[in-house]
Amino acid sequence: MLFYFLGVLGGFLVDLAAAQSTFTPARPPSLPLAVKSPYLSTWFPAGSNGGNGGYLPGQWPSFYNGQVTGWTGLVRVDGSTFIWMGAPKDFETANQTSYEYTSTKSIFTIEVDDKVSLKATFLSPLTPNDFKRQSLIFSYLQVEISSLDGSNHDVELYTDISAEWASGDSNAVAQWDSGTADQLTYHKVWKQNQQAFSEVNDHAEWGNIYYATDSTDGLTYSSGADDDIRGSFRSNGKLSNSKDTDFRPINSRWPVFGYALDLGSVGSSTTSSLFSIGLCQDEAIQFLGKDGLTTLPSLWKDYFSDELAALSFFHKDFPNSSKLSGELDDKIESDSIAAAGQDYLILTSLAARQAFGAVQLVGTQDDHYLFLKEISSNGNTQTIDVIFPASPIFFYLNPELIQLLLKPHFENQESGHYPNKWAMHDLGAHYPNATGHPDGQDEPMPLEECGNNLIMVLSYAQRSQNTDYLKQHYPILQQWTEYLVEESLYPADQLSTDDFAGRLANQTNLGLKGIIGLEAMSQIAKLVGEDADAQNYTTISHDYIAKWEDLGINKDDDPPHSILTYNNRSTHGLLYNLYNDRLIKANLVPEHIYTQQSNFYPTIKGKYGVPLDTRNPYTKADWEMFVAAIASEDTRNLFISDLAKWVNETPTSRPFTDIYDVETGDFGGGIGFMARPVIGGVFALLALTA
Ligand SMILES: *[C@@H]1O[C@H](CO)[C@@H](O)[C@H](O)[C@H]1NC(C)=O
Ligand SMILES: *[C@@H]1O[C@H](CO)[C@@H](O)[C@H](O)[C@H]1NC(C)=O
Ligand SMILES: *[C@@H]1O[C@H](CO)[C@@H](O)[C@H](O)[C@H]1NC(C)=O
Ligand SMILES: *[C@@H]1O[C@H](CO)[C@@H](O)[C@H](O)[C@H]1NC(C)=O
Ligand SMILES: *[C@@H]1O[C@H](CO)[C@@H](O)[C@H](O)[C@H]1NC(C)=O
Ligand SMILES: *[C@@H]1O[C@H](CO)[C@@H](O)[C@H](O)[C@H]1NC(C)=O
């Protein structure tokens, strides 16, 4: 009896194991599928709070905010149809056995009816040094199928997208078309009432979505109501090559845009099919710059004659593009492992697409910019204290990208569009409008942003040797420096970048940023031959840093540590602005401060990390990695392994939040930050070694 019982239990466990997937190098809260810009951002929720664990068959992909972007995969094997992606009604799901991610790819392996193996690779290319490719807002889906059991099987492959990709309002009327060009077949979908520069639920309300594949023998296509199209595939293994012309709301008999591919008899050799998905917008940004208010085109427009030329280039570029992405994957992998081991790779390779997924190249080849959306926190355009925490990935991969992020800020402020003497917080209250703040009423973070600009400008100049750039902007850099001379030693009652935690006077970490900003200006002055300024600013920064140490460090505690505010010695906080001293190689802050902080953090850590400060039980992942990058090896590894553990275990199901509770792993303070570019800050260590 006992033996019999154990036998059944054993069998059950084996079955359960067969139905489970491995996740390598980790199981992220949300798995990146097509992530290429603020408006092409489709993910797969995995964490238990809203996700299904990370199983592609059986749940819908969604926009970063959780709104479904219908994307379906079906496969018909010897006449029986199964789901490999999404959650269409009334189909059986196939079994996912593995998920793996690299910096540019998400790869799912799925077993279908014990007969065939299907590998779905989602590649969102990253080419930080190749702007022609980087400017394209497109992503690949490659599907490879082979026999699993040694026999040949009749296989038809199906995929569709819904019109949900074309608007954030599912009551909006969609329009669509299908066609062929250059040996490609494409579906094109758009919101009928195009509203340039407008958003609904963070989706773009203008532009055209494309879903394309090779015009091979055996390809059929159709547009129509979801149940009709998928039902037709189930019955016949093919579609009718017809177009539904009843343009209607996205949620009215859900129009979908499908392909069926007859792969014939599939044996042990792998068949491969390629799909490209993307967004084409002629105009990308409204910008108040040197010529007044203008609109800026998407940069790809300057490389290609029209949308179909761009689509065709992208689709046919797959061999070269995947090679380039493979090289980037390898670089990030080997550099991350060399810098801090496998747990560090879990973080960097998850962050890469997310950081680049908040930016887009606009303008022309002669005059271009990189624009950034402050995703999910408030949608601001080009927020300086978001660019700053994101900057390590850009410094590491191509410092020129920092110059392109700061360029519209210089242009706007140097043209006299901003009345305040300190640096502006952002370039517009909502992306894609970069219309500035001529009334000076931006969110006030004067000390934070002056310091950020000076530090990023110097770090860029050190890496690029571009001293003309420093000369060109010297007057406004000096204007911001004067503000720091007055305000950085005793910071007034104000917000820091961590605005969700509220205002405080005399913030130790904020003062440190200002003082390092002064030292940055001294080095900038030296680089452009303004030796008197260089001497003056370094004298001031050294004077301030000695005073700062008395004000901002509790030396009597065991172990000693920095305090959150000069006025309360029983506080503490992550002293992440110390990172800047290393970033610009200033050696302004005495070494014992570094040692002291490294010794202190482990004494206050929670399950998944070290709290941001004494006010709340949450932390910031980006700032943890800034602190880790300059910590002792043991403390650094502690931060990294705790955050890697969080990635695997967090119940959140949105793209990598940067604010989480150090004990529960859930969103910190109920603040739903997600998909923010600041997660590029996990590259802080690599930005120092690059
Ligand atoms: C999924 O796996 C279970 C357990 O091994 C099996 O019973 C089922 O037939 C599989 N389904 C498919 C579609 O492969
Ligand atoms: C951008 O500005 C335009 C007006 O020029 C406005 O219609 C649009 O709603 C704004 N977009 C966002 C996302 O706020
Ligand atoms: C793709 O790579 C091949 C082989 O290196 C090269 O000959 C070709 O010019 C490349 N195509 C593009 C568009 O870069
Ligand atoms: C800042 O700290 C200094 C020194 O302790 C104190 O004199 C000053 O009043 C504080 N400022 C504010 C705004 O609390
Ligand atoms: C040094 O800078 C301070 C603050 O800007 C200024 O008041 C002072 O005149 C400068 N001194 C010299 C010698 O340039
Ligand atoms: C000082 O900070 C501690 C720790 O956060 C807090 O409990 C205390 O209330 C603070 N004291 C004052 C006077 O604000």
Side-chain angles (χ1 to χ4, degrees):
M1 192 61 195
L2 184 64
F3 270 102
Y4 176 70
F5 178 70
L6 282 176
V8 169
L9 191 63
F12 172 72
L13 287 173
V14 168
D15 276 355
L16 197 67
Q20 290 202 338
S21 176
T22 57
F23 291 87
T24 312
R27 186 244 47 183
S30 190
L31 322 180
L33 299 184
V35 178
K36 188 65 188 185
S37 83
Y39 298 131
L40 187 71
S41 190
T42 284
W43 299 71
F44 198 80
S48 59
N49 190 358
N52 73 351
Y55 289 79
L56 193 65
Q59 179 188 266
W60 289 117
S62 67
F63 201 62
Y64 60 71
N65 60 12
Q67 194 172 6
V68 168
T69 38
W71 201 355
T72 302
L74 299 174
V75 61
R76 201 165 176 263
V77 180
D78 299 333
S80 300
T81 306
F82 303 91
I83 302 172
W84 58 268
M85 169 164 61
K89 292 190 296 286
D90 305 328
F91 291 93
E92 192 183 336
T93 55
N95 290 320
Q96 178 177 322
T97 56
S98 75
Y99 169 75
E100 183 190 349
Y101 69 86
T102 66
S103 294
T104 62
K105 298 183 202 76
S106 280
I107 307 161
F108 298 83
T109 306
I110 293 159
E111 294 185 354
V112 187
D113 209 16
D114 296 330
K115 290 179 172 172
V116 301
S117 172
L118 183 152
K119 188 164 107 175
T121 300
F122 296 82
L123 166 62
S124 296
L126 293 180
T127 55
N129 293 288
D130 173 345
F131 290 176
K132 179 179 178 179
R133 288 187 169 91
Q134 185 63 34
S135 71
L136 290 163
I137 312 298
F138 276 96
S139 187
Y140 299 106
L141 165 59
Q142 184 191 30
V143 182
E144 295 165 284
I145 301 180
S146 59
S147 173
L148 197 59
D149 62 0
S151 307
N152 282 24
H153 299 285
D154 290 332
V155 178
E156 291 103 6
L157 176 66
Y158 172 92
T159 177
D160 71 45
I161 60 165
S162 74
E164 287 160 304
W165 289 71
S167 167
D169 172 12
S170 59
N171 293 307
V173 174
Q175 197 168 328
W176 52 84
D177 198 5
S178 307
T180 56
D182 226 2
Q183 294 96 47
L184 298 185
T185 300
Y186 64 87
H187 288 293
K188 174 181 171 185
V189 195
W190 63 96
K191 186 185 187 187
Q192 195 173 63
N193 171 26
Q194 291 274 297
Q195 293 169 291
F197 312 114
S198 293
E199 292 185 350
V200 173
N201 293 325
D202 281 297
H203 279 261
E205 298 300 299
W206 81 106
N208 299 314
I209 294 286
Y210 283 90
Y211 195 36
T213 190
D214 298 283
S215 299
T216 51
D217 290 348
L219 177 75
T220 51
Y221 73 90
S222 207
S223 50
D226 57 350
D227 291 344
D228 297 350
I229 303 290
R230 294 168 196 154
S232 161
F233 175 74
R234 188 211 297 264
S235 307
N236 311 313
K238 61 184 184 193
L239 305 178
S240 58
N241 288 337
S242 62
K243 298 182 200 176
D244 181 344
T245 52
D246 175 18
F247 304 128
R248 57 186 183 273
I250 291 165
N251 61 10
S252 164
R253 289 181 302 113
W254 303 93
V256 300
F257 311 94
Y259 294 110
L261 202 48
D262 184 352
L263 300 175
S265 179
V266 173
S268 56
S269 64
T270 301
T271 70
S272 176
S273 314
L274 184 67
F275 303 88
S276 293
I277 191 160
L279 171 65
C280 291
Q281 295 170 317
D282 286 356
E283 300 294 338
I285 295 283
Q286 299 203 79
F287 176 45
L288 181 60
K290 59 182 184 308
D291 304 321
L293 187 61
T294 55
T295 60
L296 299 175
S298 300
L299 180 59
W300 62 263
K301 295 262 304 167
D302 204 30
Y303 292 104
F304 302 98
S305 55
D306 57 24
E307 295 181 352
L308 290 178
L311 170 66
S312 172
F313 171 84
F314 179 82
H315 191 80
K316 292 179 178 175
D317 192 42
F318 180 70
N320 295 33
S321 182
S322 56
K323 181 163 173 281
L324 291 170
S325 286
E327 287 164 10
L328 187 78
D329 289 346
D330 291 347
K331 172 182 161 64
I332 292 175
E333 177 172 342
S334 56
D335 289 352
S336 299
I337 289 176
Q342 178 66 25
D343 277 350
Y344 190 43
L345 177 64
I346 288 177
L347 306 177
T348 52
S349 58
L350 183 60
R353 273 168 291 179
Q354 176 165 328
F356 275 88
V359 297
Q360 83 189 98
L361 285 160
V362 304
T364 60
Q365 291 175 67
D366 291 341
D367 189 11
H368 47 278
Y369 309 81
L370 187 66
F371 272 90
L372 170 144
K373 181 174 178 181
E374 185 182 339
I375 288 179
S376 86
S377 29
N378 64 9
N380 281 180
T381 307
Q382 221 70 0
T383 311
I384 290 293
D385 63 288
V386 171
I387 294 173
F388 173 75
S391 67
I393 190 173
F394 302 124
F395 279 131
Y396 165 64
L397 289 176
N398 181 5
E400 204 56 34
L401 297 169
I402 295 292
Q403 192 270 113
L404 294 175
L405 283 161
L406 298 180
K407 180 177 166 184
H409 268 278
F410 279 120
E411 210 181 299
N412 177 281
Q413 291 170 73
E414 288 171 341
S415 306
H417 296 306
Y418 186 63
N420 299 324
K421 60 187 175 179
W422 55 84
M424 189 159 56
H425 170 268
D426 61 78
L427 258 175
H430 214 290
Y431 202 84
N433 294 331
T435 46
H437 295 280
D439 61 0
Q441 297 295 308
D442 51 325
E443 186 180 4
M445 290 186 194
L447 199 64
E448 187 82 59
E449 313 305 18
C450 288
N452 284 339
N453 283 341
L454 289 162
I455 289 160
M456 287 192 286
V457 162
L458 174 62
S459 184
Y460 161 69
Q462 288 173 332
R463 291 158 198 262
S464 65
Q465 312 296 322
N466 188 350
T467 46
D468 284 348
Y469 175 76
L470 300 178
K471 283 189 187 130
Q472 188 192 342
H473 299 301
Y474 198 78
I476 199 165
L477 294 172
Q478 198 159 25
Q479 175 188 322
W480 295 333
T481 306
E482 292 300 320
Y483 186 82
L484 293 181
V485 170
E486 288 166 26
E487 299 288 334
S488 60
L489 182 56
Y490 294 100
D493 184 2
Q494 66 191 290
L495 293 175
S496 79
T497 183
D498 304 315
D499 53 358
F500 44 84
R503 305 162 64 102
L504 271 181
N506 284 322
Q507 297 182 59
T508 303
N509 185 53
L510 186 59
L512 180 60
K513 174 169 281 169
I515 298 167
I516 296 172
L518 284 169
E519 180 62 18
M521 187 61 188
S522 164
Q523 295 199 28
I524 289 169
K526 197 190 276 171
L527 285 169
V528 302
E530 296 286 351
D531 293 341
D533 286 351
Q535 188 53 51
N536 193 15
Y537 293 135
T538 197
T539 304
I540 298 171
S541 69
H542 281 86
D543 173 46
Y544 283 8
I545 203 70
K547 293 177 172 139
W548 171 89
E549 193 177 336
D550 285 339
L551 292 162
I553 306 297
N554 183 342
K555 293 196 176 70
D556 306 324
D557 231 355
D558 183 23
H561 56 85
S562 67
I563 50 184
L564 176 61
T565 152
Y566 303 162
N567 310 119
N568 185 340
R569 304 192 70 75
S570 42
T571 53
H572 57 72
L574 294 177
L575 192 67
Y576 53 83
N577 281 321
L578 186 56
Y579 175 81
N580 298 307
D581 188 44
R582 283 274 195 271
L583 182 73
I584 62 167
K585 305 181 178 71
N587 293 321
L588 176 69
V589 185
E591 201 58 33
H592 64 257
I593 302 288
Y594 288 84
T595 313
Q596 156 207 300
Q597 293 301 113
S598 288
N599 292 338
F600 174 66
Y601 295 130
T603 68
I604 49 161
K605 91 168 203 73
K607 184 172 177 194
Y608 295 114
V610 177
L612 176 63
D613 59 52
T614 29
R615 288 174 289 184
N616 293 289
Y618 55 67
T619 192
K620 291 276 284 124
D622 47 348
W623 299 142
E624 286 192 297
M625 289 300 109
F626 271 58
V627 165
I630 52 165
S632 66
E633 191 174 329
D634 284 351
T635 298
R636 180 195 78 196
N637 291 344
L638 201 61
F639 273 108
I640 289 171
S641 64
D642 282 351
L643 188 56
K645 181 179 157 76
W646 176 86
V647 165
N648 253 318
E649 296 179 4
T650 174
T652 65
S653 64
R654 300 285 175 255
F656 205 157
T657 183
D658 49 295
I659 188 164
Y660 66 88
D661 187 295
V662 297
E663 295 301 336
T664 66
D666 209 341
F667 287 115
I671 301 163
F673 289 177
M674 62 184 78
R676 298 203 328 145
V678 304
I679 222 67
V682 306
F683 283 82
L685 187 52
L686 292 180
L688 294 183
T689 54

